[in-house]
Structure formats: structure tokens, C-alpha cells
Amino acid sequence: MRVVIVGNGPASASAIEAFRKVDQDSDIIVLSDEEFPTYAPNCMENVIRGDISEEALFYKGGFDFYERYKVDFRPKKEVVGIDNKRKVVIVRGGEEIPYDKCLLAAGAYAFVPPIPGVELGGVTTAKNLYDAKRIREWVLSGKVKSVVIVGAGPIGVEDAETLRHMGLEVHVVEFFDRVLPRMLDKFMADKYMKPLEEEGIHFYLNHQVVAIHGEDQWVEAVEIRPNGTDKSKFIRADMVILSTGVRPRTNLVADTDIKLHINEATGRVVGGILVNGYQQTSDPDVYAAGDICSGIDAWGNHRWIALFPPAQQGGAIAGFNMAGLKVKNPGLVDYNAVKTRSATAGSGGTFEDSDGSFSFEWEGKLVKVFLKEESVCGYQFLGLGKSRGLNSRNRFLKSQTIKSWSEKLLLDRGLGLEASGVLFHHFIRFKDRKFEDTVRKAIKFGMLRALSNPVFEVAIF
């Protein structure tokens, strides 16, 4: 049997590992439009700072990963589509690669809004390793003093703090009324934003970018306006980062009968390639996992979740099933967190349609749990740092003149990513459990590990 995997991210790597646990003999071909081995997509701000090792970035072991799992890795092969009737993958230039089973794991691409001036030099997205290396190169060249970041989602705020710590003047423009609009409600978002403002980051909420202006083919200023007005403001900028979301690469199935995630009421596409609980598309020999697809979440609903953990989970399910097993996905989870140093924020589940919420605070940490029909449907957390001080290992601080903002670098990472996972594990994996007093007490005292055992998925109490 020949398996062709389109894409080389977390979903692809997890699929390979799962497949080889069952089938050690079939051929696996991986096609990637990039030249790199699998890397951690959530560490691009570390690449910009230059504080991540090769081992951590290429977390599966670099190119040795493909040799270890007997994979024919073909970098710089851009797939432009598939023909599922003839069972071939089509590469740019016309090459066709036949398959018995195909996994579409090409992820999502950075959305570039139709703003005048986006074609200027110094304007970039911040989605992949190429982008991160480009941003770092521009900063180290010394010609970038001021940066405008369009969008205050996780990538936008992480890059904002990173570049502020590297000595740049940073401005963040957000269309909505808060930062992290898909992760936090207004109350939590405002608390999260405050320490970032104290570091010297300028936020423009309820604003939109009208145009990007430049001379000699390089950006010089960004024109913004408050929503609903025609009064413009100009921000000087030597670099602009577009952090305006991502879109699934559904173009790969544009000429096929493979179904997409469509809102039945409106007829609009609202997600990626539609998959069932086994990660199969409407063609049973074509699977999809990761940011390219809309899978079934922990509540049994189809959702497009473009995050690292569900990509790994979906990839593993697809790998097992392509190898001949019948493994059903228990439900995709969407916990996410931002890794800024002044404050850590995260969320899981949904909160827009909740019936109510329960909030509590301890030792500078704030957690908000959202309830629907007396069961937990989601949560948000915010962890503020305790101590202030310089990070002596930061190479940029050694060469910069230290201003007042640098004294506000917070070394404590707050509640943390691991705690986020434990919270969501308890609330979602045991989603039938009501929000009882014992749970309230455990959370109030920060006893997150006592809520569930993430290794065995067995409740401790």
C-alpha cells in the first residue's frame, strides 16, 4: 500500500507515528512545500528572538525522523490539488503521484487582507518559519525601529511582546474591542492587556487599517481609523506584521466532490474539509487532519479548530485508520494559551452561548469558568507575574539602553500552559460531570492536578 501525506506539520508527524505502530511495511510519501523537517509552529516568536535550540524547534528529530520511520520525504513539492477519482496527488509543474490512501494535512495559510500597500517591502505575515526568519533578519539589520502589528490574536500579542523586548516601538491595531477576541471576553482581555501596555506596547482597539504607505518600495507609515469614522491617524512604521488570521487550504480539493464544512442555513463555507470521527473525508480513501479540516469536537459538533493539540490528535487518528484500524476520535479539544512573559492567558471550549459563569482569584491568578445547563462548557484563565526584573540571558538587553519599560519584564509565566491543559482535560473529558462544590474548592486553591489524571484519563475523586 502507498500512503501519500500532503503537508509536514504536527498532524502529518503524528499520523506517521501512529501508522508505523500498526504497519511497518507500506510506503509513506510526505510532500511539503517547505524545505524544513517538521517544526513546532507555536514557537515562531522564539525564532524571532533567537532563543530556541534546533532540537526544540525541530521537535521530532529533524530529518532523522523520516529515516527512523521509513518515510520518503520530498521537500519543496507544492501540491496544487488532488484527483480523487484517479487517486493521484498533483504537484505544481504537473507531476502526479498515485496513492492508495491520502492524508491532507497541509494546514492553513495566513490571510492577507485587501489593504492598499500590503505589497510594500517590510510588510509580512508571521505564520511560518520563513516569516519568522525574515522578521528576525529585518530586526537585526538595524533598519527597523517601529513596527505595526495588525491583529491582536495570539500570534499578534506574542510577537508584540517579543519585539518590544528586542527594543522596538510596537503598535498593535485590533478591529474588535479587546485583545485575544476569540480567547477572552472583554473583562479578562482588559486585565491581560494592562501589563502589556505597562511594557510600552501601544494598542488601538476598535480600529481598522485603511492603508499602508511607503516610499522607495518600503513601508513608512500605517493609516488607521476608529471603526465607524473617517478620521485617520498615521503611525510611523519600518515594518508591518499582518496577524489577521488563517484560512484552511481547501483549494486542494476545489476540483473534487470532497465536501467542505458548510453552514446549511446560509450555504456559506464556514470551515475546512469536512471529516467524520475517523478523520475520513466524504471520500473514504482520503483523510484530513489539522488546520485544513473541520472535525468533530468534544460536544459532537463539527468545528474548524486551527490549533496545535487538535492537529496532533486528528493526525494520530488518521494514521491509525489508514493503517487498517477502526479508531474513533473522542472529540477535538481547543485549549489554547499565549506565552507572553508579563501575563499568561488561555481558554478552552466555548463561552459565547454560556448560561452563566463562575470566577475566582488567588495569588494573582484569575480563572473564569463558563456553564451551560449546569455543566462546564469552557473556561478562561489569566496569570499575572509576581516579580519584576531583567532576564540576564536576553542577548538583546545586553546591547540596549535600558529604559523604564525593561524594569517591567515579568519572569513569572503565570498559570501556565500545563495548567490550561489540565483544566480543559477535566472539564471536557469528563463533560458529564456537574460543577460540584468539590470542583469549586479544588480550583479555588489552585489544586489543578487534583482534578484529573491526564495520563490515564481517570478521575482521582
Side-chain angles (χ1 to χ4, degrees):
M1 180 171 67
R2 170 184 279 189
V3 174
V4 176
I5 300 178
V6 181
N8 188 41
S12 173
S14 295
I16 291 168
E17 292 172 330
F19 187 90
R20 283 294 186 230
K21 289 179 180 179
V22 182
D23 184 332
Q24 290 80 42
D25 300 318
S26 292
D27 296 330
I28 301 178
I29 298 173
V30 172
L31 305 172
S32 174
D33 58 359
E34 297 184 352
E35 62 190 276
F36 312 107
T38 299
Y39 58 85
N42 58 336
C43 293
M44 295 303 95
E45 77 282 358
N46 299 94
V47 174
I48 295 172
R49 287 196 300 267
D51 62 0
I52 187 171
S53 66
E54 292 278 303
E55 292 77 14
L57 178 61
F58 301 109
Y59 67 104
K60 289 298 182 182
F63 291 106
D64 290 342
F65 172 78
Y66 308 103
E67 182 177 351
R68 188 164 67 251
Y69 285 92
K70 297 187 291 183
V71 173
D72 180 3
F73 176 51
R74 302 182 187 181
K76 295 186 176 181
K77 291 284 188 179
E78 182 186 356
V79 174
V80 296
I82 70 168
D83 186 335
N84 61 315
K85 300 305 180 186
R86 296 191 296 125
K87 301 187 76 168
V88 295
V89 170
I90 305 167
V91 179
R92 183 172 297 282
E95 180 185 3
E96 295 185 346
I97 302 172
Y99 66 83
D100 296 300
K101 302 285 185 182
C102 176
L103 171 63
L104 300 176
Y109 64 91
F111 172 68
V112 177
I115 300 171
V118 292
E119 74 284 350
L120 288 169
V123 180
T124 181
T125 54
K127 174 70 169 64
N128 58 35
L129 189 51
Y130 290 116
D131 293 337
K133 287 176 176 287
R134 182 186 308 115
I135 293 169
R136 178 171 170 77
E137 179 182 348
W138 287 347
V139 173
L140 294 183
S141 72
K143 64 182 178 182
V144 176
K145 304 299 182 184
S146 177
V147 57
V148 171
I149 298 174
V150 184
I155 293 176
V157 295
E158 287 179 352
D159 288 349
E161 190 188 54
T162 288
L163 294 169
R164 184 62 183 131
H165 289 178
M166 293 172 73
L168 301 188
E169 181 179 315
V170 179
H171 304 265
V172 180
V173 183
E174 172 55 52
F175 180 83
F176 293 101
D177 65 346
R178 62 191 187 276
V179 299
L180 303 176
R182 295 185 181 276
M183 285 180 57
L184 303 178
D185 61 14
K186 176 67 173 171
F187 174 78
M188 297 288 277
D190 286 348
K191 285 188 172 295
Y192 171 77
M193 185 176 68
K194 185 177 179 181
L196 296 179
E197 288 182 311
E198 291 174 352
E199 288 185 352
I201 299 173
H202 305 282
F203 289 94
Y204 304 85
L205 305 179
N206 287 308
H207 279 70
Q208 58 183 311
V209 174
V210 178
I212 301 171
H213 302 278
E215 192 171 311
D216 298 327
Q217 302 302 310
W218 195 268
V219 61
E220 289 189 334
V222 175
E223 181 181 357
I224 68 173
R225 289 178 188 167
N227 294 338
T229 74
D230 56 1
K231 185 177 181 180
S232 291
K233 173 183 175 66
F234 293 83
I235 305 172
R236 187 183 69 81
D238 310 300
M239 180 171 68
V240 175
I241 296 176
L242 301 174
S243 180
T244 47
V246 297
R247 301 290 187 272
R249 297 183 186 273
T250 54
N251 60 293
L252 298 184
V253 298
D255 298 323
T256 74
D257 58 356
I258 292 175
K259 294 180 179 179
L260 301 182
H261 185 189
I262 295 176
N263 184 315
E264 295 181 0
T266 64
R268 292 179 58 248
V269 176
V270 292
I273 299 169
L274 202 66
V275 297
N276 61 19
Y278 303 96
Q279 299 300 132
Q280 289 174 303
T281 69
S282 53
D283 182 332
D285 289 329
V286 178
Y287 295 73
D291 297 1
I292 198 172
C293 72
S294 290
I296 300 175
D297 68 9
W299 293 273
N301 303 312
H302 270 103
R303 287 177 65 200
W304 179 55
I305 306 174
L307 294 172
F308 196 150
Q312 291 183 302
Q313 182 176 332
I317 298 296
F320 284 130
N321 290 326
M322 288 191 297
L325 299 184
K326 197 70 173 175
V327 180
K328 190 172 184 179
N329 198 323
L332 297 173
V333 298
D334 64 342
Y335 56 83
N336 191 18
V338 287
K339 307 185 298 297
T340 43
R341 294 175 179 176
S342 57
T344 298
S347 66
T350 60
F351 55 90
E352 295 88 349
D353 59 347
S354 64
D355 298 332
S357 63
F358 166 73
S359 301
F360 57 90
E361 184 176 2
W362 87 97
E363 297 180 358
K365 301 175 178 65
L366 180 64
V367 175
K368 193 170 187 178
V369 180
F370 294 86
L371 306 174
K372 188 173 184 179
E373 297 177 355
E374 299 183 21
S375 294
V376 173
C377 61
Y379 75 94
Q380 300 172 6
F381 73 78
L382 172 64
L384 299 178
K386 299 177 183 176
S387 60
R388 299 173 182 266
L390 295 178
N391 184 351
S392 60
R393 295 177 297 172
N394 188 308
R395 68 187 69 181
F396 292 95
L397 293 182
K398 295 178 181 179
S399 60
Q400 298 289 331
T401 301
I402 304 303
K403 304 291 185 180
S404 60
W405 64 265
S406 60
E407 298 174 358
K408 298 179 180 180
L409 296 178
L410 304 176
L411 302 181
D412 181 65
R413 289 182 178 270
L415 194 56
L417 297 172
E418 184 181 12
S420 170
V422 174
L423 270 171
F424 196 85
H425 175 91
H426 173 75
F427 291 150
I428 305 305
R429 294 299 187 194
F430 302 104
K431 54 183 176 290
D432 294 330
R433 181 183 296 158
K434 300 301 180 183
F435 199 58
E436 302 166 347
D437 286 341
T438 51
V439 177
R440 288 176 183 256
K441 290 178 181 178
I443 300 176
K444 276 188 173 182
F445 286 101
M447 298 168 58
L448 298 175
R449 289 184 177 274
L451 291 175
S452 63
N453 187 324
V455 176
F456 301 106
E457 297 196 359
V458 174
I460 289 177
F461 61 91

